[in-house]
Every structure is written in structure tokens, then in C-alpha cells.
Amino acid sequence: MSGSPMSLWATSDSSVKGSLEIAEYLNCSTLDSKKLKICMKTKSIYDIMDAVNATGSAPYSADIVKFSPRADGDFFPRKLDDLIKESPKKPTLMGLAQKESAFFVIQGNCETLVAHIISPAKFDHFAASDIIKVIDEVFAPEEFFGDETKDAREDLYEHFVWRKHPNPNDTKFYLEMYTEHRVVRAEVLSTRREEKRGRK
């Protein structure tokens, strides 16, 4: 498996919104889920893929996957974190690929999954300002953090922008930071919050 089922992109309700967009595009009723399902079954895979392409296959947000598994009380009877606590303990081997996101955002693979791709034409000009822009717009928007927006952004700036006080135009450094920030953003915020609580 890749990633944790607790990740934002793995268990969000984004698939609901995306599915409704596709249903509307294919003229299927979105008022009744049973009728929607019956209607969708009459569509070919080509119809559905055309609808995906027309409505957008990936969101430009922290919830990077538009269509993901959803714990809706059907296949999984309760919340995943509750089921994990109730399940028998099993040995688990885990690892972390620091530059895993390079596969998506730098190499440009899986455009149907990720909307945060950096084009090769941008490589030679990617700078600190680009990291700051994506932090403000995507990973620490005000509607998500509310009153903690400023602190959240400062934590991310400190780690991904000003760490080691690099040249703000150091393209290689910021391309590397861009691939990292998509993987460890939540962990950095969580760690910084705990550190601050400990200092108070």
C-alpha cells in the first residue's frame, strides 16, 4: 500500500463532489443515489472518462486526489480509525520516500491524479515566491486554518522556504522543497504545534 488511510486525500469526501459533477455532465439525476447508480451503469467507460476529462480529473487543492476511497458506512461499517483500534495488531513495515512526489509534480506523471505539476519550462525560474504562493493558496488557505492561518503559513515558510536561509532564486533547492512539502506538510505542522505547546 502507498500512504496512510488517514491521509486527507485518502479518506475525504472529494469523491462525492467529483461523482456528482460527472453525473450531471452525463445527464444522470443527482437527487436520488439509487437512480444515479442505475443511470451511471448505462454509460460506457468512454462516456465516463470523457466526463472526467471535461469536469477536471484532479483538484488544485491539498486534497490532491479527486476520486478516492470513501468510508460511507457500506463496505466499512464504521470510521476507519475506530476499525483500526478494534482490529488485531499485526507487524507492520513502514518507510518514507522523501522525494516520492517528484514522480507526480516534477516528472509530470499521472496528470489525471495531480494538478500541481510544474512544467519543464518553469524549472529554471522556480523560486521561493512560487513555494510561498502554493502554501498560501493550496496548503494553508484561510478557509481551512481560520484564526491559525498566519501561524500555519509561518511554520511552512520556515521549513520549506527559509530553512538554511538559501538564495530565494535557488531553483534546485526550491524544486526539491516543492516535492517534499507535498509529502510532509501535515507532519511538519503537527510537530511544530506540539513543540510550541511544549514551550508554553
Side-chain angles (χ1 to χ4, degrees):
M1 296 180 66
S2 175
S4 165
M6 299 296 107
S7 298
L8 173 65
W9 53 265
T11 57
S12 76
D13 285 337
S14 62
S15 56
V16 175
K17 181 176 181 293
S19 297
L20 292 176
E21 289 175 353
I22 288 177
E24 289 178 0
Y25 183 86
L26 295 173
N27 296 316
C28 289
S29 172
T30 59
L31 301 177
D32 185 312
S33 60
K34 291 183 179 179
K35 290 181 180 179
L36 187 154
K37 184 176 181 180
I38 292 172
C39 179
M40 289 295 290
K41 284 186 172 182
T42 67
K43 309 300 179 181
S44 71
I45 184 64
Y46 302 105
D47 293 331
I48 294 173
M49 290 308 299
D50 286 344
V52 170
N53 290 330
T55 59
S57 58
Y60 187 69
S61 69
D63 185 2
I64 61 174
V65 180
K66 188 172 184 178
F67 301 102
S68 60
R70 179 171 177 262
D72 59 1
D74 186 6
F75 186 82
F76 294 109
R78 291 182 300 285
K79 292 181 179 179
L80 290 180
D81 49 352
D82 292 334
L83 292 174
I84 290 172
K85 292 176 183 177
E86 298 169 7
S87 300
K89 300 296 184 287
K90 297 180 181 179
T92 304
L93 178 65
M94 295 187 293
L96 175 66
Q98 190 177 33
K99 299 293 191 296
E100 181 180 13
S101 287
F103 178 78
F104 300 104
V105 300
I106 299 297
Q107 296 180 8
N109 296 295
C110 300
E111 291 186 37
T112 55
L113 291 178
V114 180
H116 304 87
I117 294 171
I118 302 173
S119 67
K122 181 72 174 175
F123 287 177
D124 292 337
H125 309 285
F126 197 79
S129 58
D130 295 291
I131 293 281
I132 291 173
K133 183 174 186 291
V134 78
I135 286 174
D136 291 352
E137 294 180 354
V138 179
F139 292 103
E142 188 171 356
E143 58 266 28
F144 184 80
F145 284 97
D147 294 339
E148 294 188 349
T149 300
K150 182 178 179 181
D151 288 341
R153 288 177 178 175
E154 289 298 330
D155 284 342
L156 291 170
Y157 296 159
E158 181 181 341
H159 186 82
F160 295 109
V161 182
W162 309 126
R163 183 163 41 131
K164 301 178 183 178
H165 302 287
N167 179 336
N169 297 310
D170 186 343
T171 298
K172 182 176 182 294
F173 176 85
Y174 287 111
L175 284 173
E176 289 184 356
M177 288 298 97
Y178 188 72
T179 63
E180 285 186 23
H181 92 285
R182 297 179 49 74
V183 177
V184 301
R185 173 189 67 99
E187 287 77 2
V188 169
L189 284 176
S190 177
T191 300
R192 295 297 171 85
R193 290 287 183 271
E194 291 302 319
E195 289 176 350
K196 286 183 178 180
R197 290 193 187 100
R199 289 196 294 265
K200 290 181 179 179

